[in-house]
Amino acid sequence: MKKTSTRSVETPEWRRQLPVRLKEGALIAMGALCLYLIMALLTYERTDPGLFRSGRVDQVQNAAGRAGAWFADLLFGGVGYFAYLFPVLLALKCWRMFQLRHASWHVSGWLISWRAIGLVFLVLSGAALAHLHFEPAAWLPASAGGALGESLGYLAEQTLNVQGSTLMFLALFLFGLTVFTDLSWFRVMDLLGKIVLDLGELIQSAIANWWTTRQATRAAQPVVSRRVEEPVLGDVVEPPLLEDAEELKRARQRLLAREKKPVAAPEPRAAQPPVVEPVPRKAPVISELPPPPRLDDPVFATPKLKPAAVPANALEGTLPPLSILDAVEKKASGYSEEALQAMSRLLELKLKEFGVEVTVENVYPGPVITRFEIQPAPGIKVSRISNLAKDLARSLAIISVRVVEVIPGKTTVGIEIPNEDRQIVHFSEVLSAPEYESAKSPVTLALGHDIGGRPVFADLAKMPHLLVAGTTGSGKSVGVNAMILSILFKSTPEDARLIMIDPKMLELSIYEGIPHLLCPVVTDMKEAANALRWSVAEMERRYKLMAAMGVRNLAGFNRKIKEAEEAGTPLTDPLYKRQNFEDEPPLLKKLPTIVVVVDEFADMMMIVGKKVEELIARIAQKARAAGIHLILATQRPSVDVITGLIKANIPTRMAFQVSSKIDSRTILDQGGAEQLLGHGDMLFLPPGTGLPMRVHGAFVSDDEVHRVVEAWKQRGAPDYIEDILSGADEGGAGSFEGGGEGGEGSEEDPLYDEAVRFVTESRRASISAVQRKLKIGYNRAARMIEAMEMAGVVTPMNTNGSREVIAPAPIRD
């Protein structure tokens, strides 16, 4: 009975072998799956057909085939870079299963669920971290974290920001890794601590063994070698060990020879003990500033001819000589090198009193200011130094200090301190520079000197418009005069023409009568609006003309006209409308660059209103290629004058001294102009950069302006275009008349028939033309044109101020 019972309880062999074989089979299957996934992921091609795209089977590049391409696309598109995590985790599981291959098989649903939760946390948090902190590669079908990481990362970033999201996902990642792999971070820390301690003990034992070996080696050396290694005359070099008698003999001979030499001339030794001496403090380098970046084109095809003094009967077509300007006075010497060294030490000391450790590395003395380039200590923010500008000026007992936070190409910070004796920058000194002589642009502007005393020039054609602002007495009007004189010394009326608007009736009226003017200096703001409106119409006309000629800008148009004239085939106006078959279109001539100068556009905006702002914005937006440029100046740098529309279309700014940081930001979009010294000291912001350049403006006296204006009056008379000022308001000119010409100008005027005949024959319905032809007043000619419009002889005024003749030409007998 007992034997029968034992046989019935005994487990069959196949049942004992089944779990072991299933374990081995699962291990082999998981290993094969791990290798398959690695092969599919490493040979992934974005062009293969997958979950997110379709393609032909014969185009599959994946080594794992179409299924591998599909799985790789699914993993990369879902979790991004963390697709590589799956084969790694699978390999860890395979290794764990191999270690427990002899243990009994226990399947726990709770444990499997717990591991699955850890895997979910691990994959999702890792994908979100990859999306937040890694850039996606070009071969990935989605972001760095895949679709899941992108969704979770975007949601967490909107709620917790990047830092909070990173902290949360990192905690979830470590938690998921602990749950899935049964990893204890405390055991990891204990293991790392044990490794560090073992490594320390190993290094300590190695050092102890080396020291013991070295001491034993020294103790084992013979007595003779110790006598040889005794230092002679400070010699501390240990000679090699002597092994035989011959070497010992040679060593003794060398020793006796050295002892016989005088002490004053010892033998050169291989090494000597260092001599400790006090190291002198490094003095700052005092040098000149590097040349500023060129604002104009440095390469020119043909240089401009230098103006020279010519006889009075041959002045037409020449440029005034620079000799009519005031001569340059001898400049006083600046600071000495000792004074600059002392100022450098004082600057370091004052900044140290405010808790800022700096070292003055370079000093650049200039005619008006001196720049000290300081190197802050590590950890010092430049904002701390900027906030100390007023305190630093007070402690140094100077008027102002300007801090240059960023110097291109350097790690230093600039401190600009005004000189005690300020030198005057003469206009003739700036114009005599070779850069101005070689400049090709007819609107090259001479601004002044930089902080190192080098001339600074700018090309208005490349700006293409300039906004100038500064408080009263800052040198703004003098700067505008210097710009105008730069154009007058550079170009003839055939190259550049001017429209000047002067609401104050004082600054620009001095230029009345020069041949560069297109119209008299405008002082009435309604006429100023008409001048801007004419500029818009001229811009549109030039664009139509350039489009018909197939050129892109004014320079290309003038070049084409010049080439045609040199070839003997001058071009005709393609926009001319023939009235009959006998009409011949006029020949095209070179178009000059037009510069509109407004001395105080705040008054113009106050009187005329927003219409002027729209006209200025329209010119500034598209008049560059047409060769029309604006120079706008104001002494009210407020947001109601320098509006966002004007600032958006005029990128080039010039800020003179202002009263507050708010005004400086209104002009330059940054502070700094409130720390200027006045009297021509300015910050020039070139187009395409955010770093202003400090320039000391050139001084132009009233006598110099009078001499230049008189020189140009001797070279020609102005050719005004009367339609510029008349505009759409010319019909109302009669309401401002006195009683000089009474009711003349209507159809009862005795000269009306002659005016009609002139208009129909010349096909020119211009008030100025009728005025010059009949030698009558402006208002009388305007009323005649109005009468012709009412009679149907001419058309009403177009948008550009011109009229067309409707009536046919008179029949000649």
Side-chain angles (χ1 to χ4, degrees):
M1 291 298 293
K2 290 183 179 180
K3 291 182 181 180
T4 304
S5 173
T6 304
R7 288 178 180 176
S8 61
V9 176
E10 186 177 358
T11 305
E13 182 68 21
W14 65 270
R15 187 171 293 180
R16 292 198 308 268
Q17 295 291 335
L18 181 61
V20 179
R21 300 296 173 259
L22 288 177
K23 243 185 214 186
E24 293 178 358
L27 181 61
I28 295 173
M30 291 180 65
L33 180 60
C34 178
L35 294 177
Y36 183 79
L37 285 178
I38 292 176
M39 182 172 57
L41 294 175
L42 292 179
T43 59
Y44 171 74
E45 290 289 340
R46 193 169 181 176
T47 57
D48 288 345
L51 179 64
F52 301 102
R53 63 188 54 79
S54 60
R56 294 187 301 176
V57 180
D58 55 355
Q59 295 180 344
V60 175
Q61 303 294 328
N62 199 299
R66 185 179 181 87
W70 193 88
F71 278 115
D73 193 60
L74 173 64
L75 293 177
F76 281 129
V79 295
Y81 289 128
F82 266 75
Y84 294 109
L85 184 66
F86 287 94
V88 173
L89 295 178
L90 201 58
L92 291 176
K93 283 298 178 183
C94 290
W95 176 251
R96 185 65 175 169
M97 187 180 295
F98 177 77
Q99 287 181 329
L100 302 176
R101 64 187 181 278
H102 299 296
S104 58
W105 188 308
H106 294 287
V107 178
S108 175
W110 183 88
L111 186 59
I112 293 176
S113 302
W114 183 244
R115 296 282 191 263
I117 292 174
L119 179 62
V120 170
F121 276 108
L122 181 65
V123 172
L124 294 182
S125 59
L129 286 173
H131 169 72
L132 290 174
H133 296 283
F134 295 100
E135 293 293 332
W139 51 269
L140 283 176
S143 67
L148 295 176
E150 185 175 2
S151 302
L152 291 175
Y154 177 77
L155 181 61
E157 188 176 359
Q158 295 297 321
T159 308
L160 303 176
N161 210 341
V162 177
Q163 292 79 6
S165 304
T166 302
L167 183 61
M168 181 188 71
F169 286 127
L170 187 59
L172 293 178
F173 181 82
L174 296 177
F175 172 75
L177 184 62
T178 301
V179 171
F180 182 76
T181 61
D182 197 18
L183 176 66
S184 175
W185 294 106
F186 293 102
R187 286 186 304 196
V188 172
M189 288 188 288
D190 291 340
L191 180 61
L192 291 177
K194 184 177 182 302
I195 293 174
V196 172
L197 291 177
D198 294 342
L199 185 61
E201 291 179 359
L202 181 62
I203 295 175
Q204 185 177 3
S205 62
I207 294 175
N209 293 334
W210 172 80
W211 181 257
T212 304
T213 305
R214 186 172 182 271
Q215 294 295 331
T217 305
R218 278 190 164 186
Q221 289 180 0
V223 180
V224 176
S225 61
R226 292 184 181 179
R227 290 180 58 189
V228 175
E229 72 176 29
E230 291 179 358
V232 179
L233 298 178
D235 195 355
V236 294
V237 179
E238 296 181 32
L241 296 177
L242 304 179
E243 298 179 354
D244 51 14
E246 292 296 331
E247 292 183 1
L248 178 58
K249 184 178 180 180
R250 287 194 295 268
R252 287 176 176 175
Q253 291 176 355
R254 288 196 300 268
L255 181 59
L256 292 174
R258 292 174 62 181
E259 288 178 351
K260 291 179 180 180
K261 290 186 178 182
V263 181
E267 284 284 328
R269 295 177 294 274
Q272 292 188 6
V275 180
V276 180
E277 295 181 356
V279 180
R281 187 172 186 176
K282 183 180 179 181
V285 179
I286 302 174
S287 58
E288 296 183 355
L289 277 174
R294 290 289 303 274
L295 302 177
D296 51 355
D297 193 358
V299 180
F300 304 103
T302 54
K304 198 77 173 183
L305 292 179
K306 184 178 180 180
V310 293
N313 56 358
L315 290 177
E316 187 175 357
T318 62
L319 296 173
L322 297 181
S323 58
I324 62 177
L325 299 175
D326 293 341
V328 179
E329 299 177 359
K330 185 178 180 180
K331 296 183 178 180
S333 58
Y335 291 111
S336 63
E337 185 174 352
E338 292 77 10
L340 293 176
Q341 297 285 357
M343 291 178 63
S344 302
R345 301 284 83 81
L346 179 62
L347 181 61
E348 292 178 356
L349 181 61
K350 293 299 181 182
L351 285 173
K352 189 175 182 180
E353 291 177 357
F354 295 110
V356 179
E357 292 281 349
V358 299
T359 302
V360 178
E361 291 192 351
N362 296 289
V363 180
Y364 298 104
V368 178
I369 65 168
T370 299
R371 173 184 285 184
F372 296 84
E373 291 190 358
I374 62 175
Q375 183 67 52
I380 300 296
K381 294 183 178 180
V382 71
S383 58
R384 290 183 57 187
I385 303 176
S386 300
N387 295 333
L388 293 174
K390 292 184 178 180
D391 296 326
L392 197 58
R394 176 189 54 81
S395 61
L396 294 175
I398 54 179
I399 183 172
S400 66
V401 170
R402 178 172 176 261
V403 179
V404 184
E405 297 181 350
V406 178
I407 300 176
K410 297 183 179 180
T411 61
T412 55
V413 180
I415 303 292
E416 296 179 353
I417 298 178
N419 297 339
E420 294 181 358
D421 298 326
R422 179 173 179 175
Q423 300 175 3
I424 298 177
V425 179
H426 294 274
F427 188 59
S428 59
E429 183 182 4
V430 181
L431 292 189
S432 59
E435 291 89 348
Y436 181 77
E437 292 294 331
S438 60
K440 184 180 179 181
S441 174
V443 286
T444 301
L445 305 182
L447 303 182
H449 282 176
D450 64 354
I451 61 176
R454 295 180 179 84
V456 178
F457 303 96
D459 187 2
L460 184 61
K462 294 182 179 180
M463 293 186 184
H465 311 287
L466 177 61
L467 176 62
V468 184
T471 187
T472 304
S474 61
K476 172 181 58 64
S477 299
V478 176
V480 173
N481 283 331
M483 299 177 201
I484 296 174
L485 292 187
S486 301
I487 299 176
L488 296 182
F489 274 106
K490 192 66 182 176
S491 57
T492 60
E494 289 76 18
D495 298 325
R497 302 297 295 272
L498 300 173
I499 296 177
M500 296 186 180
I501 301 175
D502 185 13
K504 295 186 292 187
M505 307 181 191
L506 296 174
E507 299 295 341
L508 301 181
S509 299
I510 192 174
Y511 297 98
E512 189 72 65
I514 62 175
H516 293 76
L517 292 178
L518 283 171
C519 64
V521 178
V522 182
T523 56
D524 187 358
M525 290 304 98
K526 293 184 179 179
E527 293 181 349
N530 292 337
L532 294 177
R533 201 172 290 113
W534 178 89
S535 301
V536 173
E538 176 66 13
M539 175 187 68
E540 298 292 345
R541 185 186 74 86
R542 290 191 175 192
Y543 269 111
K544 293 178 181 178
L545 194 59
M546 289 187 293
M549 296 293 294
V551 295
R552 300 182 59 182
N553 49 38
L554 184 65
F557 177 84
N558 291 335
R559 191 183 308 113
K560 196 167 187 179
I561 296 298
K562 182 179 179 181
E563 292 174 355
E565 292 178 352
E566 292 176 352
T569 57
L571 302 176
T572 57
D573 189 356
L575 304 180
Y576 181 75
K577 296 180 180 179
R578 297 174 181 266
Q579 300 295 330
N580 49 54
F581 291 103
E582 297 180 356
D583 287 349
E584 291 292 337
L587 297 178
L588 289 178
K589 296 182 179 180
K590 176 182 176 182
L591 292 177
T593 302
I594 298 177
V595 181
V596 182
V597 184
V598 184
D599 184 60
E600 182 55 71
F601 70 95
D603 296 343
M604 183 170 57
M605 292 181 62
M606 183 182 300
I607 296 174
V608 184
K610 288 291 182 180
K611 204 69 178 176
V612 172
E613 182 182 2
E614 296 175 0
L615 293 173
I616 291 175
R618 189 174 179 187
I619 295 174
Q621 284 173 353
K622 56 181 295 188
R624 175 176 184 174
I628 301 177
H629 308 285
L630 294 172
I631 298 179
L632 304 179
T634 181
Q635 61 182 3
R636 287 177 50 198
S638 56
V639 293
D640 57 337
V641 176
I642 306 177
T643 60
L645 183 62
I646 293 178
K647 291 176 62 177
N649 292 285
I650 303 180
T652 309
R653 321 277 174 78
M654 184 179 293
F656 290 83
Q657 185 186 35
V658 295
S659 57
S660 65
K661 201 170 188 177
I662 299 176
D663 294 342
S664 177
R665 289 178 178 173
T666 303
I667 308 168
L668 300 174
D669 295 327
Q670 56 185 297
E674 75 279 0
Q675 299 170 346
L676 297 177
L677 304 178
H679 302 287
D681 194 15
M682 60 179 164
L683 292 178
F684 176 60
L685 185 64
T689 179
L691 299 176
M693 176 192 303
R694 189 167 187 175
V695 180
H696 309 305
F699 175 72
V700 180
S701 64
D702 292 340
D703 293 337
E704 289 179 302
V705 177
H706 281 289
R707 289 197 292 269
V708 175
V709 169
E710 195 63 31
W712 271 114
K713 286 182 179 179
Q714 296 176 3
R715 285 165 170 78
D719 184 14
Y720 294 146
I721 301 177
E722 299 294 343
D723 294 340
I724 295 178
L725 302 183
S726 59
D729 298 328
E730 69 177 13
S735 60
F736 295 96
E737 285 188 350
E741 294 177 338
E744 296 179 347
S746 60
E747 293 187 6
E748 289 79 15
D749 194 308
L751 298 178
Y752 178 76
D753 294 337
E754 187 176 352
V756 171
R757 178 171 298 176
F758 168 73
V759 169
T760 53
E761 287 180 352
S762 63
R763 316 304 296 177
R764 295 175 58 193
S766 171
I767 298 176
S768 58
V770 174
Q771 180 183 0
R772 289 192 297 269
K773 177 66 177 177
L774 303 181
K775 296 182 176 59
I776 59 177
Y778 177 85
N779 296 329
R780 185 178 180 184
R783 286 197 301 271
M784 288 184 179
I785 295 295
E786 287 180 355
M788 294 180 196
E789 177 183 347
M790 297 178 62
V793 178
V794 297
T795 63
M797 185 179 301
N798 299 327
T799 56
N800 59 355
S802 62
R803 303 174 185 268
E804 296 181 3
V805 181
I806 304 176
I811 302 175
R812 297 181 178 274
D813 297 336

